[in-house]
Amino acid sequence: MLTGFADALWGACEAFPGLDEAILTTPGTPRVMVDLLTGYGGALVGAGLTPRDAAVAVDFVADLVFSSSVAMRGLDRRLPDAAGGSSTVRERYRRAWARESAGRHPFEAEFTAEETWHGRGWFDDKLDIFLDGLATRIAPGPSRAPDRAASPGPSTEENA
């Protein structure tokens, strides 16, 4: 469900350039959005998340979509260079990673991979990692895990 929510938000950002920045910078939430997000949150609570985890999950996915959309669109921005020409932000990042990493570690190759710098970039990977972690918080059966906001936190023994 959250993947579909993310895809719908990403599609809206593509259809309406600037929507992502407007949402990130405009205070307030229209009633229609409150109702929509409440529907997602209610479904997540029904699936076993606490109300707080459900609210954070919906907010996290929306923030991830909007910030990733802004970042990916920003890669097309052209910047002047020292030679009097220009290059895109994407080109500068890729050149910097290629120059600095020079294949020292396979990790670094991920920063020079073509798919990292186009389309949705790492968005889907980030979403998958989040969803995998979120799945561990779903309470089994009819009893639900306690809401962390209501608990005093881990005991001293748990921190040891």
Side-chain angles (χ1 to χ4, degrees):
M1 178 184 66
L2 287 172
T3 300
F5 174 55
D7 290 342
L9 290 178
W10 195 280
C13 292
E14 287 180 329
F16 303 100
L19 175 67
D20 43 17
E21 287 183 70
I23 289 173
L24 288 172
T25 59
T26 302
T29 307
R31 182 77 233 170
V32 67
M33 285 303 296
V34 170
D35 293 342
L36 177 67
L37 298 178
T38 299
Y40 281 105
L44 292 171
V45 169
L49 290 176
T50 65
R52 180 156 184 95
D53 284 351
V56 170
V58 170
D59 185 65
F60 181 91
V61 170
D63 282 349
L64 182 62
V65 168
F66 299 136
S67 62
S68 295
S69 176
V70 167
M72 293 308 291
R73 195 166 23 87
L75 293 175
D76 291 326
R77 196 179 62 211
R78 295 198 73 79
L79 300 171
D81 60 29
S86 69
S87 59
T88 65
V89 172
R90 175 183 296 105
E91 292 165 338
R92 289 188 182 197
Y93 273 122
R94 291 188 72 196
R95 275 198 310 263
W97 273 98
R99 181 178 57 247
E100 298 301 326
S101 66
R104 293 185 312 212
H105 192 281
F107 167 86
E108 295 171 352
E110 295 301 324
F111 287 87
T112 58
E114 187 70 24
E115 65 272 10
T116 299
W117 301 102
H118 295 280
R120 289 165 56 142
W122 285 340
F123 172 78
D124 293 302
D125 299 295
K126 291 176 181 181
L127 182 61
D128 287 345
I129 290 169
F130 169 73
L131 294 175
D132 288 348
L134 184 63
T136 68
R137 298 181 71 133
I138 296 174
S143 65
R144 301 289 186 238
D147 192 338
R148 280 199 218 222
S151 69
S155 67
T156 306
E157 295 82 30
E158 290 173 327
N159 288 330

